[in-house]
Amino acid sequence: MLEIFKHRRAQTSEDPSTADSWLAKKKHFRDTEEWKKKKARIMSKLRALSKINLALVLSRMPSVDKLSDNILMMIFSYLPARQVLVTSSVCRRWRNIAWNPNLWRFVSFRPNYGGLQVANVDHFTHLIGHRFVDLRNVELATDLITPNVLYEMSNKCPKLQHLTLDFSTAMQLHDFTDLQAFPSRLKSLTICLSENIFLEGFLRKVYTFIASVEILHIIGTYEKVEDEEEEVYETVNIFKLKQFLPNLRVVNLWGVPFITDDHVDAISSNCAHLECLSVNYCAKVTGSCLKLVLQRCKKLRCLFLAHTNLDNNIVKIVEWEKTRIEELDVKGTELSSDSLVYILSRLPHLRWLDASWLENFNDVVLESWMNSGSFGKLEYLNLDTCDSLNEACLVDMITRHGGQLQGLNLGGHHKLLEYFWMNMIPQLKNIRVLVMGIAEDCCPKVVAKIHVDQFIDCIAQNCPRLSRLEIRWDDETLRFSDKSSKFIDVLRMKCLKLHSIVLSDGQYYELVRSNFERADRMSVVRTTEMCRTGHLNCSRYYNQLLFN
């Protein structure tokens, strides 16, 4: 049979007219009605067969309807509250699952911060005893802070431990004369103050219920203050409040304009268990309270004094060497070089320091600190925009202590360019958070070109534990090639814990972002306009200090 086929094929190839006649017959046959009917029958059978196969495949595939209620509830638990409400409108079964109290353990009712908007307060009060019986953490806006709502939560939410009361948008308070109950098992209480709404009448009703609170946040109106000379109202009586909070471990007075050293002193007098104290952006704090605070609170480990008005003579009176301070934030203060040397050389347990934006943090301070022996336990160091430091002193620091550093921020230093980082990165074997470069809107402008491919390759080869990276140089300063994608691939494969890269917006940012998106890592690459890398997340009290 094969021989006959070859013989006919040879004849066809030798006789072109025979081939042409056969093609003509084939073309003529395709134009006939008989072929069209035959083709239609074949196509209909193929379609029917494909539908049967598809139905068979679909019948054997697991669907959402076949998942158990527990599995669906676990899936819904990863959704925000607003999305859970959307799923409840799909079907009756999903509605019953979405209304399960286990899915409503953390709820925010603050629309300004992405929370739910409550249209009917009475209906919300009715739901507390049904949908929110397992509530653990709740944030309430001003219009929901009413006697009825607080009464229902105190009686029907026995597991409630974290409560946020937002009075920042209040124009007028409700009447709390009839308030007889308040959640009494709280571990964390957050109060967002208003500019001129006094809360003493409200707090007088709840003083006896908050003795169990261990974490207190009082959030001020620092961001709203426009004129420093305008009158500041003491909207909360700190001296009376501290009498009813004997179990405080963490106190965060963020941006409260009326807070002074007397208030801080009063809080410490009744808090023997205090471990973390934050008075960031409290401009009236001068540090005169620190001596007594550190003497009373022997358990104090974390002290945040960012953007306060610390007095140099006062901080030199404090006996820092007798404390157990492990984390210190003096960012944006006016401390002199002598004061910085005095403080840092007397903190042998220091592991976390934020000294960014300090004009007086110079080579003398850094060398004296290293020679004092108090540098031995430091793990996280933020020296962002400390322009008085020279390259030689920083090289000496990293050469001597680079192996112990897990976080280093040297952004804003126009002197630290390619040569410095290429020599220093191999010394940072255990680094987790790294910030380098200077933003394009900073002065002086960087003139030299930075070969970013070499940086990326050096980081990938020497920093396997890196989780956060920020490179602030802009596209005009960075120089990269067509092979940059290969270096980015190496970084992505070597640094498996990397979950944040912050770059200046431009061509290189687009290149890095597209590379990570192809690997299904969509949220890793960000711009300096939307994100800044710091060391606050490395603090041991980071979760307790979070608000909003």
Side-chain angles (χ1 to χ4, degrees):
M1 187 68 182
L2 184 60
E3 296 296 333
I4 295 174
F5 176 75
K6 291 181 178 180
H7 179 69
R8 290 182 177 178
R9 184 178 179 184
Q11 290 180 348
T12 304
S13 60
E14 292 176 359
D15 189 1
S17 60
T18 305
D20 294 340
S21 61
W22 182 81
L23 292 174
K25 291 178 180 180
K26 181 180 178 182
K27 184 177 180 181
H28 175 72
F29 177 73
R30 289 182 175 180
D31 294 336
T32 59
E33 293 295 329
E34 180 181 0
W35 166 250
K36 293 180 180 179
K37 292 179 180 180
K38 186 176 181 180
K39 181 180 179 181
R41 287 197 303 270
I42 294 173
M43 295 301 296
S44 62
K45 290 180 179 180
L46 289 175
R47 291 193 187 97
L49 184 62
S50 63
K51 290 180 180 180
I52 293 173
N53 292 335
L54 180 61
L56 181 62
V57 171
L58 292 177
S59 64
R60 295 181 178 179
M61 288 180 62
S63 63
V64 177
D65 295 333
K66 294 183 179 180
L67 295 177
S68 64
D69 292 350
N70 292 333
I71 298 298
L72 280 176
M73 188 182 302
M74 187 179 299
I75 295 173
F76 290 173
S77 66
Y78 290 94
L79 300 176
R82 193 181 301 275
Q83 294 298 326
V84 175
L85 289 177
V86 174
T87 59
S88 64
S89 61
V90 174
C91 62
R92 183 174 299 176
R93 182 192 175 201
W94 283 28
R95 180 183 179 184
N96 295 333
I97 297 174
W99 284 7
N100 192 301
N102 290 328
L103 292 177
W104 300 92
R105 297 182 178 182
F106 171 81
V107 192
S108 174
F109 297 101
R110 302 166 69 193
N112 295 336
Y113 296 92
L116 299 178
Q117 176 72 50
V118 176
N120 191 330
V121 179
D122 295 333
H123 180 63
F124 169 72
T125 306
H126 173 72
L127 289 177
I128 292 176
H130 301 280
R131 191 179 302 181
F132 304 121
V133 292
D134 284 342
L135 196 62
R136 311 290 177 85
N137 190 328
V138 65
E139 299 179 353
L140 298 179
T142 306
D143 54 346
L144 295 180
I145 307 175
T146 65
N148 292 335
V149 171
L150 296 176
Y151 177 82
E152 291 293 324
M153 286 189 173
S154 63
N155 291 331
K156 298 179 180 179
C157 303
K159 300 179 181 179
L160 183 61
Q161 295 182 341
H162 306 275
L163 176 62
T164 297
L165 303 176
D166 188 357
F167 296 98
S168 60
T169 59
M171 302 300 294
Q172 183 178 356
L173 288 183
H174 294 274
D175 185 8
F176 294 99
T177 305
D178 298 332
L179 180 63
Q180 301 298 331
F182 190 81
S184 58
R185 299 182 180 180
L186 295 177
K187 288 187 176 180
S188 174
L189 176 62
T190 302
I191 301 176
C192 300
L193 303 180
S194 175
E195 294 177 332
N196 48 18
I197 299 296
F198 295 89
L199 302 179
E200 180 58 29
F202 165 72
L203 292 175
R204 192 181 300 116
K205 291 290 184 176
V206 305
Y207 280 145
T208 57
F209 299 96
I210 59 176
S212 62
V213 172
E214 298 179 3
I215 303 173
L216 175 64
H217 295 271
I218 299 181
I219 310 305
T221 56
Y222 173 81
E223 296 179 346
K224 298 180 180 179
V225 174
E226 297 179 357
D227 187 4
E228 296 181 357
E229 298 181 356
E230 68 181 33
E231 186 175 359
V232 177
Y233 299 99
E234 188 171 342
T235 54
V236 174
N237 190 340
I238 301 294
F239 298 98
K240 191 171 183 179
L241 179 63
K242 62 96 177 180
Q243 300 176 14
F244 301 92
L245 297 170
N247 298 313
L248 286 179
R249 293 189 304 106
V250 178
V251 175
N252 180 21
L253 308 176
W254 194 94
V256 185
F258 61 82
I259 289 293
T260 63
D261 292 270
D262 294 335
H263 296 100
V264 180
D265 183 28
I267 291 177
S268 66
S269 64
N270 197 40
C271 299
H273 305 289
L274 191 63
E275 300 177 12
C276 176
L277 174 62
S278 173
V279 289
N280 288 348
Y281 296 95
C282 295
K284 293 187 178 182
V285 174
T286 61
S288 60
C289 63
L290 291 178
K291 184 175 182 179
L292 286 176
V293 169
L294 294 174
Q295 287 177 354
R296 292 168 179 165
C297 305
K298 299 298 183 181
K299 297 181 180 180
L300 192 63
R301 299 289 186 273
C302 179
L303 185 60
F304 283 13
L305 304 168
H307 295 279
T308 55
N309 192 19
L310 295 179
D311 187 274
N312 291 294
N313 296 324
I314 292 176
V315 297
K316 291 182 180 180
I317 304 174
V318 180
E319 297 176 339
W320 296 97
E321 63 275 5
K322 296 182 180 181
T323 66
R324 302 286 298 180
I325 297 295
E326 298 178 0
E327 300 178 5
L328 179 65
D329 186 355
V330 290
K331 173 177 58 180
T333 58
E334 299 294 334
L335 290 175
S336 64
S337 300
D338 295 338
S339 300
L340 290 171
V341 172
Y342 183 87
I343 296 173
L344 297 178
S345 61
R346 287 168 172 79
L347 292 175
H349 306 285
L350 194 64
R351 58 172 292 273
W352 188 100
L353 174 66
D354 190 342
S356 56
W357 297 92
L358 294 183
E359 295 182 0
N360 296 319
F361 199 107
N362 51 30
D363 296 347
V364 176
V365 175
L366 188 56
E367 291 175 357
S368 301
W369 182 20
M370 289 189 293
N371 295 332
S372 67
S374 300
F375 207 99
K377 295 185 178 180
L378 192 72
E379 296 178 358
Y380 298 94
L381 178 60
N382 188 346
L383 297 176
D384 191 359
T385 320
C386 292
D387 299 329
S388 301
L389 289 169
N390 290 317
E391 181 178 349
C393 188
L394 292 172
V395 168
D396 183 36
M397 179 196 71
I398 297 177
T399 303
R400 294 166 60 180
H401 302 281
Q404 72 189 53
L405 294 178
Q406 299 185 32
L408 180 62
N409 187 337
L410 293 180
H413 292 257
H414 64 279
K415 307 172 186 176
L416 308 182
L417 300 176
E418 184 174 344
Y419 179 79
F420 172 83
W421 285 109
M422 290 300 297
N423 291 326
M424 293 299 104
I425 288 176
Q427 308 291 332
L428 303 172
K429 296 292 185 180
N430 296 314
I431 201 72
R432 295 183 179 182
V433 182
L434 183 61
V435 180
M436 62 178 71
I438 182 171
E440 59 180 321
D441 55 347
C442 293
C443 292
K445 180 70 175 175
V446 177
V447 180
K449 296 296 182 181
I450 308 296
H451 295 80
V452 69
D453 293 342
Q454 298 181 18
F455 276 151
I456 297 299
D457 184 58
C458 188
I459 292 172
Q461 301 298 334
N462 295 282
C463 307
R465 304 175 64 186
L466 189 67
S467 61
R468 295 173 180 266
L469 173 64
E470 180 172 344
I471 300 177
R472 296 179 182 173
W473 290 298
D474 58 346
D475 270 359
E476 295 182 2
T477 306
L478 293 179
R479 179 175 294 177
F480 55 95
S481 63
D482 298 336
K483 298 181 180 180
S484 296
S485 295
K486 296 182 179 179
F487 294 100
I488 301 171
D489 289 335
V490 175
L491 177 69
R492 180 165 45 80
M493 298 298 293
K494 293 279 188 178
C495 302
L496 299 178
K497 297 181 179 180
L498 187 63
H499 58 79
S500 174
I501 301 179
V502 182
L503 301 168
S504 178
D505 194 6
Q507 296 181 1
Y508 188 71
Y509 160 76
E510 297 292 342
L511 177 64
V512 178
R513 187 184 68 171
S514 61
N515 186 292
F516 275 82
E517 287 180 351
R518 285 196 299 269
D520 292 332
R521 300 175 65 179
M522 308 293 291
S523 60
V524 174
V525 186
R526 306 153 192 181
T527 64
T528 53
E529 297 178 358
M530 303 298 295
C531 181
R532 281 297 173 97
T533 303
H535 293 162
L536 185 58
N537 65 298
C538 304
S539 170
R540 292 177 178 173
Y541 297 91
Y542 173 69
N543 293 327
Q544 289 89 339
L545 291 172
L546 286 178
F547 64 92
N548 287 350

